[in-house]
Every structure is written in C-alpha cells, then in structure tokens.
Amino acid sequence: MTDLLECRDCGHRTYYEKHRCLECGGAEFDAVPAGNGELLSVTTVHVTPEGVREPNALGLAAFPGGANVVAQLDEELSIGDEVRLVGDRELRVTEDGPLWGVRIAAAE
Amino acid sequence: MTAQKREARAVDASPVRGDSPAITGAGMTAFANADDRSLLELLLVAAERALDDADRDPAGVDSVHVGNMAAEAFNERSGLANALVGGLGMTGVTARRIENTSASGASAFQSAVAAVASGRSDRALAVGGEKMSAADTATATEIISRITHDREYEQGVTLPSFGGLAAAAYLRGSDADRRDLARVAVKNHANASSNEYAQFRKRIAVDDVLASPAVAEPLRLYDCCPTSDGAAAVLIESGPAESDDAVRVAACESATGTHAVADRADPLEIESVRTAGERAYDAAGFGADAVDIACIHDAFTILEWLEMEELGLAPAGRAWELTRDGETDLDGALPVNPGGGLKARGHPLGATGISQVIELVWQLRGDLPDERAVDGAARGLAVNVAGFGNNAVCTLLEGDA
C-alpha cells in the first residue's frame, strides 16, 4: 500500500489512517499515489524491539499534499534525496506473523 | 495553524487568582535503576513523605490522583489508586488513576490542581510512580513503542528513533555541532551529582557522551534518559495557604499534538508543547521572560533544545547557543533541569512530571543546599511530554521570593 490518504474535502494528504482530517475535520478519504518526495532526515537505530531488524535505518520523507512519512530505508539514502515509497516489504516479525508494509527507496 | 486548530479551546483553563491552589507538601523516593520495593510501596512512601512535609494527616485529604503509565505491562497489576488509598487507611475519598504515557505524572497533577481550583476538593494528593525494572530492556522498549500509531509501530519505530531524526535535522539546519548536543547531558549529570534523589550522580564529559554506544544516530546512549523505578507526590490545597512557604500554582495547562509524529509539517516542531506553554503563560499572567528556572522533558538531549524554543525560553533554532554559553547551567541566567532532568535524575514514566514540580517547589522554597540551589528563583516552569509530543503539560509555579 504505497498510496496516501487524500481528504475529499480539503485535499490534505496523510499516510496515517484516521477518522477525521487533521486540517479540516473531513471524514472521507481517497487513496492516491504518493508520487516522489524528499528525504528530510535519516537515522540508524541500533536498539530495536524484538522482531525488528538491527540496525534499522529509518527516514522521514515529505510527499506532495502535506504528507510526511517515517519508514524504513530500502537502501542507503541521504538527506535531500528524491525518494518514493515501495511496498510489500517485510518490516518486522511478530508472534502473529510478519508485518508487511512500505519502505522508502530512491525515486526512479 | 489551521481553522480546526484555531477553534480548539482549553476546556479546563482557570483564571489565576490570589487564592489559586498551593502546593503545601512534596516528597519522593530516590529514583533508581532498580528498587527492591513494589510499585505500591514506592507510591505509599512518596505519598507519606508529601503528607509529612505538609504536616497533614491522610484523613484530611479528600481526593487522590495517581499517575502511572503501564503497571499492567511492567508489574501485572492495576487498581493502583484504590490500593494506595487503602494503604494510607483512607476511605470515602475520590480516587482515580490517570494515564498519559510519559506525561502521566503531570496529568495527575493537573487533575489534582483542577479538583482544588474548581472547589470540588480542598486537599488533593497527586502521586505518580513507575517500576520499570520488572521488565527487561527489550520488553520495556516494546511496551513504550506501543504508544505509536500502527503505521509507525510496523516500521519498528521507537521513541529514540524520533529523537535521532529530529537531532539529525537540527544539527544539519543550525550551526550547533554534535559536541554542543552532548553538553546538555554533561550539564544535567553535573546538576544531578549533588541531588541525593538522582539515579546518576556521576559527572560525565563531552567525550564520554561521544564515546557511548550509538542508539539512534546521531544520538548515543548518553543522550538518552534511562528506565527507572521511583515515585513522587505533592499535596495541593485551596488558597490562601496557611503555611509561609507554600508555592502557588500559577497555571497548569495541557495540549495534544498529532498522534503520528510525521503528521507534523516540520519535524522540529512540537506543537503540543508550544500550545500548552502559551495557555499556561496566558493563565498565569506572565510570560517566558519572567521564568527564573525550568524543568524540561529531556528524554533525549535534543528535546531540551526543541522544547525550550517552543516555550519561548530560547529563540527559534538558537537554544544550542544558551547551552554552549552556559546560560542554562545552575549559575546561568536560566538554569534548566537543576535536578538533573530525566537524563540524570531518572525517568520512572508516571513519576517524572511530579518530580519536576517537586524540584521547582524545593528551589522556590529555598530548601536546597547551596551547591545545588538556584539563587533567588521566584518563578518556575515545568513541561512534561507524552511520547514524542503526542501531549504536553506545562506548569508554572510561583514562590514567595
């Protein structure tokens, strides 16, 4: 799921599911492709919860429409790089099985 | 600032009057990496110390507000407020537990202050505590990371992860260097060295911070607060206080931020802290320039800077200069975290917010030995933050300096 959620009322986008838009309170969202974004910050985490890769390289990326995303880096990237979301990555292992989701990769 | 945010109102703001609530007693346990006593015992000890300090009997208390984040997960128990009042031999009082993750202590304090300010309670006891040593590090990390949004959780994001992202962005966008950030931890350890209640009483140097293991780059182990066992309590009474050395609660206000950290437009903004601070200054009738001493939620060194800037205690992007210039030292123009902060006093989640208030009370009353006292402090600020800014509680206290 590399899409973002776009508020049907005001157009503001978010990656984080919620019942109401943070900007206008709207309750309807449409899934839209994230497109390319910019990497604002990166960190490498060396102490991670059980079932999470260690070290865990994470990035904070800004996408069009006001949506920022914190996600695992799929490759080595630097602040300022143009990036995209890639899907179907195994992010962590839990007692109930693996959790799959998006990572941040270089824009094509 | 959106329309919806502009319309958000502080629901429990109360104008400060000459008879605003007063803190008449304060007491805590020494914070420790591991304390043999049970969580309930820690809460009882802190509560009794606060009552003794106020020279009050438990029978005179009519409401009890207990701050704790995760006793179910750490200690496999609940019902803390009822167990605590039972242990104190109290019946017929109003008692409840308040949970607001790492700001549970300040939220319990806010609840007690509101109870007194509204006239519903004459004497309110706020007690916060956490016993984190019962879980191993991996379990504790997992418990704390469970406060995140599902989309954050699946990425394996931890609280230090957000600290690392913020620190990397701050250092890149300012003239501060990595050594300046280390100075925050060095200062807080120096302040804790003479605090008998602090978990870490060891002085450290900048090089020690830089040599400690990486946790979430650029943050290292010595940039991060520890996990701790401890409890803290204060007694709040309706004014005017009978005792000469009571400290007035000029304001206690709170605000939420976004739940998902990345939903903030700027990774260096913590709007919850800014809004809670603005509401507190408005309610107290004075601003950042009148604050003599501050207890800031330094779960990570970078947070001390970000929160100081949000609270107007430092210009935007410039808090690092105050640290570098010694302005935030114990003998500086604005001492920050004189008791050692979360970094060195320790961070038992539910106790921290109340321990910050206690530090201010001791400073404003002039109770402390010379080597750790801030001379002539009359007004103090404390900010206790839930998660990485999900929620913040800002308290302003005034003494009789």
Side-chain angles (χ1 to χ4, degrees), chain A residues 1-4 15 32-35 63 84-88 101-103:
Chain A
M1 161 59 187
T2 56
D3 289 344
L4 299 172
Y15 179 67
V32 296
F63 290 91
R84 65 191 169 107
L85 296 178
V86 292
D88 300 320
V102 306
R103 282 192 180 145

Side-chain angles (χ1 to χ4, degrees), chain B residues 301-324:
Chain B
T301 45
I302 186 65
L303 280 176
E304 185 163 309
W305 288 350
L306 298 184
E307 293 166 30
M308 283 173 64
E309 293 173 16
E310 295 290 11
L311 292 163
L313 299 172
R318 307 263 303 275
W320 65 274
E321 292 179 11
L322 273 65
T323 300
R324 182 187 278 185

Side-chain angles (χ1 to χ4, degrees), chain B residues 97-185:
Chain B
R97 170 176 159 192
I98 291 103
E99 190 272 310
N100 183 15
T101 68
S102 44
S104 295
S107 285
F109 177 77
Q110 186 182 27
S111 167
V113 169
V116 171
S118 69
R120 292 182 62 90
S121 181
D122 290 328
R123 289 191 192 132
L125 184 64
V127 190
E130 208 81 35
K131 182 177 167 69
M132 302 169 73
S133 67
D136 60 35
T137 302
T139 307
T141 302
E142 174 68 12
I143 292 168
I144 297 163
S145 73
R146 281 280 179 180
I147 71 171
T148 56
H149 191 285
D150 288 351
R151 294 281 82 75
E152 293 173 324
Y153 178 83
E154 70 187 10
Q155 298 288 344
V157 166
T158 56
L159 270 286
S161 311
F162 294 127
L165 290 166
Y170 191 101
L171 292 177
R172 187 181 174 89
S174 75
D175 291 332
D177 64 31
R178 185 59 191 80
R179 299 182 72 83
D180 294 320
L181 194 56
R183 285 186 176 90
V184 174

